[in-house]
Amino acid sequence: MRHRQAIVLAAVALAGLTACDGPDPNNLETYYDDPVPTSSAAPAPTEAAVSPGPAAPAAPASAAAPDPGVSAQQALLSDADVAGESVQPSSGEEAVGCLADGPSAAGRTANWRYSTGSLLTHRVFAFPDRSAVQAVAETDCAGKTVSVPAQSGIELQRAWSVGKTCTVLLAKGGLVSELSVSASSETRAVDAAKRLLPAMTAKLVAQP
């Protein structure tokens, strides 16, 4: 009987020793071991949203070139402009003076007759192959040069008289304004041209 108790006690002691082989709860070096971290896949980087940049400003529409025919018409003297000369419109006669040479892209002409029978003609031309200044500068008229008052805003002006006819040429931009007066004398023709110069200039300078 005592022999069996001794065997039981020996077995209990052996079990106790086996249990002590595990981690000692009082041993800080084993009891508080760091837990093994669990691995997790890093989130895939998301592509940053690209916002469209500001829209490029639309190119301004280029201004349309003025119509030569319209500009010539607007620079032409009207009945009201020559009313002080006491003239009447004339469709069949014109004063033939010295004209700028060369083809014209557009031209307008107006004719009037004085009560004395003298003639007044105004023409406005646009030249496609050269500037208005070049057209006037290259014009070579017979007769003699006439001195007329210089006009503000005009790029080039010239005047001649041939017999009893006086012609004045004004250049500005792409237009040439030509005035011819045929009167009973050279002096009357030149005086009439001088009186009409301001009206010619105002109409021409107003054009783009």
Side-chain angles (χ1 to χ4, degrees), residues 4-104:
R4 290 181 178 178
Q5 290 178 345
I7 294 174
V8 172
L9 291 176
V12 171
L14 179 62
L17 291 175
T18 304
C20 290
D21 289 341
D24 184 358
N26 294 322
N27 187 347
L28 295 180
E29 293 182 0
T30 58
Y31 190 77
Y32 290 102
D33 284 345
D34 293 334
V36 177
T38 58
S39 62
S40 60
T46 58
E47 183 178 357
V50 179
S51 60
S62 57
D67 186 329
V70 172
S71 297
Q73 182 64 46
Q74 292 175 342
L76 191 67
L77 292 176
S78 65
D79 291 344
D81 295 322
V82 299
E85 294 296 302
S86 299
V87 293
Q88 296 296 324
S90 174
S91 58
E93 299 175 294
E94 65 179 37
V96 180
C98 180
L99 305 179
D101 298 325
S104 172

